[in-house]
């Protein structure tokens, strides 16, 4: 612990900030020159996916797994060579990155008469006249040691798996104990001390042994992440992505199940841990002036970011959403939320702004299709009226949780990014972004800088705190037949974790297919004013499938009609996938489950709100209704293969 405190203190020192800034400036200059010289041009598109999960209690007394099943669960030889190995993340680093607010103050989440509004401020002082908004992806490559964060292990806070993450505090293995003398005293029962029905499904911490499989560590002790290796964006690559998502989530869940835990595919946990949600999220100690959150991974980078955010906020961070208003002594309440992040590497550096700007216009429509976090943990609502909450809650509370947890500096770091004018702007936006918790490479590594990620280590580290809802990642692992380590990719960050692997694969295909289709068809989507795109995004977060969306049609006409918007969303996603050689039958398999939820007018968030309403109508109180809904959600996710089957 003393080592962590020392590293955090050094990270937050003024002399570290000065040296770090100087190095970032030098590295940024080299990157700009390399982009302009064509060094970031590549052969083909590639794709990858990050998936975040959380852990709950499984059966009170699970059966011992037999050895054969045990071996099967983690055997890597059964996986395709293209799949990521244990702990491996796409683009040699987890694709996970934290969200970021945009525009002077980002979305305003201050409560008003009916609860906080998600409507963003119109001003955007952070964006320079040249379009250099503070936008970028998190750093990308972590040291791989037994007790360190592996590739892809980063908080949703954009301590990106892409960014160089510091090691966990090493654990000293206990010496082997003497053989125990048999005792006449009865052993303690493994059964929970509370009623099993009340105990079932509660949030729980994951033991470290779970991360020996496909799961990677995340910000909270209850969090895990699974990442696919990047593959070329074509028929074969999408097939490998599909297999990777299915197999790696399955193996991670099997590994957790051996230790009385279940990893849940969901966007926000709502059944609190035994000590209660606010106590769990607030528990901390202070060591030599450094705040250490009890239930946060004790990686120096996480701790430094926490202390930086707290310092900007004056020691506590406010969190206000419909039905809840409070503050926390740590950023850990960001770990309420889990998400998926599709990545698309664009081979033509000069065309990157065209792809990026078109993608900004898709944020509202795609979020509105995928919303899945309408409720906080049940015990975070005090005397809130249940019917009022169902009518007024945001359909995607993840957006508020992430923005409010880290938007504590003068220029909010989580927001919708501004349009790009030039490809090199992606470098300038990282440089101009507010500095949070800098580290120098020698704090963590004593070897020579040899590889690309070593040469640009400090820039990559800062990129790990560039939390926009849409980010550019500069550099990454080489992808056979597609790209070298010098590449540019879009990280799509606002989508919530979905109930099934099939839903997440469908959203990945919809996202990357749509981006590709809009550009290849020269669709005028980017002509929609940026302010309208941002407004649509926050409307989607607040109102889900009923959001007030804006779009420009293929004919160049402005529309708010959902049928017109989604007809084009699916049409151009199909076009983009077909352009990349994906067969029509496979395209239907990817997109039909997502299209079915639009046609039914039902998102996972709508389903959750309907279930809570049904419980309230039958006489349950709000806490019981939310927990009952959550158990039904978990049950349905076990019984079906896609959310469309629930409808």
């Amino acid at each position: 612990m003393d080592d962590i405190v020392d590293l955090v203190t050094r990270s937050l020192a003024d002399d570290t900030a000065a040296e770090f800034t100087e190095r970032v400036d030098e590295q940024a200059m080299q990157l700009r020159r390399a982009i302009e010289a064509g060094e970031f041009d590549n052969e083909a598109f590639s794709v990858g996916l990050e998936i975040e999960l959380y852990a709950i209690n499984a059966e009170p007394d699970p059966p011992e797994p037999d050895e054969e099943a045990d071996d099967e669960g983690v055997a890597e030889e059964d996986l395709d060579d293209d799949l990521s190995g244990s702990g491996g993340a796409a683009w040699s680093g987890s694709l996970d990155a934290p969200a970021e607010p945009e525009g002077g103050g980002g979305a305003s989440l201050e409560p008003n008469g009916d609860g906080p509004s998600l409507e963003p401020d119109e001003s955007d002082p952070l964006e320079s006249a040249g379009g250099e908004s503070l936008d970028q992806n998190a750093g990308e490559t972590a040291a791989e040691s037994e007790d360190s964060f592996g590739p892809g292990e980063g908080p949703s806070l954009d301590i990106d798996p892409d960014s160089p993450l510091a090691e966990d505090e090493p654990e000293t293995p206990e010496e082997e104990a003497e053989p125990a003398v048999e005792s006449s005293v009865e052993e303690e029962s493994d059964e929970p001390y509370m009623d099993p029905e009340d105990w079932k499904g509660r949030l729980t911490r994951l033991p470290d042994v779970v991360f020996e499989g496909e799961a990677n560590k995340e910000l909270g002790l209850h969090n895990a992440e699974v990442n696919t290796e990047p593959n070329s964006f074509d028929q074969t690559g999408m097939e490998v992505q599909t297999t990777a998502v299915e197999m790696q989530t399955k193996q991670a869940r099997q590994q957790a199940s051996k230790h009385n835990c279940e990893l849940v595919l969901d966007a926000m946990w709502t059944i609190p841990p035994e000590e209660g949600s606010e106590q769990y999220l607030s528990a901390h100690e202070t060591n030599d002036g450094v705040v250490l959150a009890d239930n946060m991974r004790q990686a120096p980078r996480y701790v430094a970011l926490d202390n930086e955010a707290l310092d900007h906020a004056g020691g506590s961070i406010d969190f206000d959403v419909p039905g809840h208003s409070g503050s926390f002594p740590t950023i850990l309440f960001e770990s309420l939320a889990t998400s998926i992040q599709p990545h698309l590497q664009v081979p033509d550096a000069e065309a990157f702004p065209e792809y990026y700007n078109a993608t900004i216009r898709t944020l509202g429509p795609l979020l509105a299709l995928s919303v899945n976090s309408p409720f906080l943990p049940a015990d975070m609502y005090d005397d809130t009226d249940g019917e009022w909450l169902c009518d007024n809650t945001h359909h995607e509370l993840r957006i508020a949780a992430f923005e409010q947890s880290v938007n504590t500096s003068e220029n909010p770091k989580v927001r919708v990014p501004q349009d790009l004018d030039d490809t090199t702007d992606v470098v300038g936006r990282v440089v101009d972004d507010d500095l949070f918790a800098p580290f120098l490479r020698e704090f963590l590594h004593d070897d020579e800088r040899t590889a690309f990620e070593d040469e640009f280590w400090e820039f990559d580290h800062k990129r790990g705190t560039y939390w926009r809802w849409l980010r550019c990642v500069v550099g990454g692992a080489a992808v056979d037949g597609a790209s070298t380590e010098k590449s540019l990719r879009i990280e799509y960050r606002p989508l919530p974790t979905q109930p099934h692997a099939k839903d997440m694969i469908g959203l990945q295909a919809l996202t990357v297919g749509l981006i590709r289709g809009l550009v290849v068809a020269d669709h005028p989507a980017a002509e929609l004013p940026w302010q309208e795109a941002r407004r649509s995004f926050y409307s989607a977060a607040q109102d889900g499938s009923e959001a007030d969306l804006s779009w420009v049609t293929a004919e160049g006409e402005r529309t708010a009609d959902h049928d017109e918007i989604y007809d084009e969303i699916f049409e151009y996603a199909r076009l983009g996938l077909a352009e990349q050689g994906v067969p029509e039958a496979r395209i239907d398999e990817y997109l039909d489950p997502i299209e079915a939820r639009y046609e039914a007018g039902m998102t996972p968030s709508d389903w959750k709100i309907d279930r809570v309403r049904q419980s309230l109508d039958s006489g349950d109180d709000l806490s019981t209704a939310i927990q009952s809904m959550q158990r039904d959600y978990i049950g349905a996710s076990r019984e079906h293969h896609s959310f469309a089957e629930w409808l």
Side-chain angles (χ1 to χ4, degrees):
M1 192 64 69
D2 288 343
D3 289 344
I4 292 177
V5 171
D6 176 61
L7 277 170
V8 171
T9 302
R10 292 165 71 189
S11 168
L12 302 180
D14 290 343
D15 55 348
T16 297
E19 177 63 23
F20 181 88
T21 299
E22 184 176 335
R23 293 185 190 181
V24 168
D25 288 344
E26 291 173 357
Q27 293 164 17
M29 187 179 301
Q30 295 178 55
L31 288 171
R32 287 190 186 97
R33 288 172 179 164
I35 291 171
E36 289 170 345
E39 295 177 26
F40 279 76
D41 289 332
N42 283 286
E43 297 176 50
F45 293 87
S46 58
V47 292
L49 185 67
E50 300 174 73
I51 300 167
E52 297 170 357
L53 312 91
Y54 64 79
I56 60 170
N57 292 325
E59 295 301 321
D61 191 11
E64 288 293 322
D66 60 66
E67 281 181 35
E68 267 186 50
D70 214 0
D71 292 338
E72 263 182 298
V74 290
E76 291 188 20
E77 52 267 34
D78 293 335
L79 295 178
D80 188 288
D81 288 341
D82 281 331
L83 301 187
S84 129
S86 70
W91 283 284
S92 71
S94 134
L95 297 179
D96 191 288
E100 312 185 356
E102 183 91 4
S108 165
L109 296 169
E110 291 303 311
N112 55 30
D114 294 324
S117 164
L118 277 172
E119 188 62 29
D121 207 345
E122 284 302 313
S123 58
D124 246 316
L126 291 180
E127 303 298 339
S128 70
E132 289 203 355
S133 81
L134 316 178
D135 177 61
Q136 199 84 18
N137 194 330
E140 200 163 47
T141 306
E144 291 184 9
S145 70
E146 197 171 15
D147 290 317
S148 70
F149 282 89
E153 299 173 10
S156 159
L157 283 184
D158 229 6
I159 296 178
D160 204 83
D162 288 339
S163 88
L165 294 178
E167 288 109 352
D168 277 338
E169 186 176 6
E171 294 178 7
T172 306
E174 295 179 7
E175 293 182 7
E176 191 173 341
E178 296 266 340
V181 178
E182 218 173 286
S183 168
S184 59
V185 180
E186 280 188 25
E187 292 183 7
E188 290 184 13
S189 168
D190 286 335
E191 293 294 319
Y193 61 78
M194 61 176 67
D195 185 283
E197 276 307 306
D198 187 43
W199 177 88
K200 182 181 174 186
R202 287 188 175 275
L203 189 78
T204 192
R205 301 162 183 85
L206 284 164
D208 280 348
V209 68
V210 169
F211 300 102
E212 294 173 4
E214 292 295 340
N216 300 315
K217 294 174 182 176
E218 254 282 359
L219 179 67
L221 297 183
H222 56 281
N223 291 136
E225 183 177 270
V226 169
N227 302 287
T228 65
E229 288 278 346
N231 299 104
S232 56
F233 182 19
D234 52 25
Q235 178 182 359
T236 302
M238 288 302 296
E239 295 287 353
V240 174
Q241 286 289 304
T242 299
T243 303
V245 172
E246 292 171 343
M247 292 296 293
Q248 289 174 220
T249 54
K250 179 180 179 181
Q251 290 191 356
R253 298 175 85 176
Q254 286 176 338
Q255 183 76 357
S257 72
K258 299 173 194 172
H259 303 282
N260 203 25
C261 301
E262 179 175 354
L263 286 172
V264 179
L265 291 173
D266 192 14
M268 186 167 285
W269 49 274
T270 58
I271 303 180
E274 293 182 12
E275 64 266 49
S277 301
E278 296 194 55
Q279 183 176 341
Y280 177 88
L281 295 170
S282 299
H284 68 283
E285 62 182 63
T286 302
N287 187 330
D288 287 342
V290 174
V291 173
L292 298 157
D294 291 358
N295 295 302
M296 182 186 291
R297 298 262 167 222
Q298 295 301 300
R301 180 173 166 87
Y302 290 177
V303 177
L305 283 171
D306 192 13
N307 281 265
E308 182 87 75
L310 285 169
D311 183 59
H312 284 293
S316 66
I317 302 174
D318 293 338
F319 182 42
D320 291 289
V321 293
H324 173 85
S325 181
S327 63
F328 290 90
T330 162
I331 62 173
L332 189 61
F333 71 90
E334 188 274 338
S335 70
L336 285 165
T338 52
S339 63
I340 62 172
Q341 291 110 39
H343 287 240
L344 176 65
Q345 180 264 323
V346 177
D348 181 357
E350 187 176 353
F352 191 86
E354 185 179 4
Y355 281 91
Y356 191 84
N357 296 344
T359 304
I360 291 172
R361 276 69 186 172
T362 71
L363 293 173
L366 294 194
L367 181 61
L369 271 180
S370 59
V371 286
N372 192 23
S373 58
F375 296 108
L376 297 175
D379 61 341
M380 290 180 70
Y381 298 111
D382 294 327
D383 298 322
T384 306
D385 177 77
E387 290 294 341
W388 178 90
L389 184 64
C390 288
D391 289 340
N392 291 278
T393 189
H394 299 166
H395 281 253
E396 197 51 34
L397 289 170
R398 288 174 43 261
I399 304 302
F402 188 49
E403 291 197 350
Q404 294 185 44
S405 63
V406 293
N407 279 356
T408 60
S409 62
E410 182 179 355
N411 299 310
K413 296 175 72 67
V414 186
R415 62 186 183 276
V416 175
Q418 287 276 8
D419 289 336
L420 287 175
D421 292 328
D422 186 85
T423 305
T424 56
D425 290 348
V426 301
V427 176
R429 290 180 176 185
V430 173
V431 172
D432 293 341
D433 201 28
D434 285 358
L435 180 60
F436 261 42
F439 277 73
L440 302 178
R441 186 176 185 275
E442 58 267 29
F443 289 2
L444 306 173
H445 306 283
D446 57 9
D447 58 328
E448 294 295 318
R449 298 184 187 235
T450 55
F452 176 88
E453 67 264 23
D454 299 325
E455 186 178 358
F456 299 99
W457 197 94
E458 282 79 9
F459 178 87
D460 207 35
H461 183 89
K462 189 173 185 184
R463 183 169 58 86
T465 68
Y466 184 80
W467 298 313
R468 301 302 186 272
W469 289 116
L470 190 68
R471 300 194 305 177
C472 173
V473 184
V474 181
V479 180
D480 287 345
S483 64
T484 68
E485 63 185 1
K486 292 182 179 180
S487 62
L488 298 171
R489 56 189 156 97
I490 294 170
E491 181 188 23
Y492 203 95
R493 301 177 45 75
L495 301 180
T497 300
Q498 300 293 295
H500 301 277
K502 193 169 185 178
D503 298 313
M504 295 184 293
I505 293 163
L507 277 178
Q508 178 190 29
L510 178 63
T511 303
V512 297
L514 178 60
I515 297 168
R516 179 70 177 118
L518 291 174
V519 176
V520 76
D522 198 23
H523 189 286
E527 293 178 8
L528 181 73
W530 177 83
Q531 292 84 351
E532 278 297 296
R534 182 175 65 168
R535 186 199 56 74
S536 291
F537 172 73
Y538 288 107
S539 180
Q542 183 163 331
D543 298 321
S545 58
E546 299 297 319
D548 180 11
L549 302 175
S550 291
W551 185 253
V552 171
T553 68
E555 289 74 34
E557 302 290 331
R558 288 272 292 274
T559 184
D561 181 85
H562 279 208
D563 287 340
E564 286 188 285
I565 294 170
Y566 285 105
D567 281 350
E568 292 204 352
I569 292 290
F570 289 105
E571 176 187 351
Y572 285 89
R574 291 174 189 279
L575 173 65
L577 291 166
E579 178 72 16
Q580 295 306 116
V582 181
E584 184 177 352
R586 202 65 167 128
I587 293 172
D588 290 342
E589 189 174 339
Y590 292 142
L591 300 186
D592 283 355
I594 308 301
E595 198 162 11
R597 66 172 65 173
Y598 172 69
E599 291 169 351
M602 180 70 70
T603 63
S605 178
D606 292 323
W607 184 93
K608 288 178 174 180
I609 292 171
D610 283 354
R611 282 298 171 118
V612 169
R613 279 200 172 104
Q614 290 172 25
S615 290
L616 294 170
D617 289 345
S618 66
D620 290 336
D621 60 29
L622 179 60
S623 178
T624 302
I626 291 175
Q627 295 189 57
S628 175
M629 170 278 294
Q630 189 66 64
R631 294 187 177 105
D632 287 347
Y633 176 99
I634 294 166
S637 68
R638 293 184 188 127
E639 294 167 14
H640 300 292
H641 297 92
S642 75
F643 178 69
E645 295 177 10
W646 303 19
L647 305 180

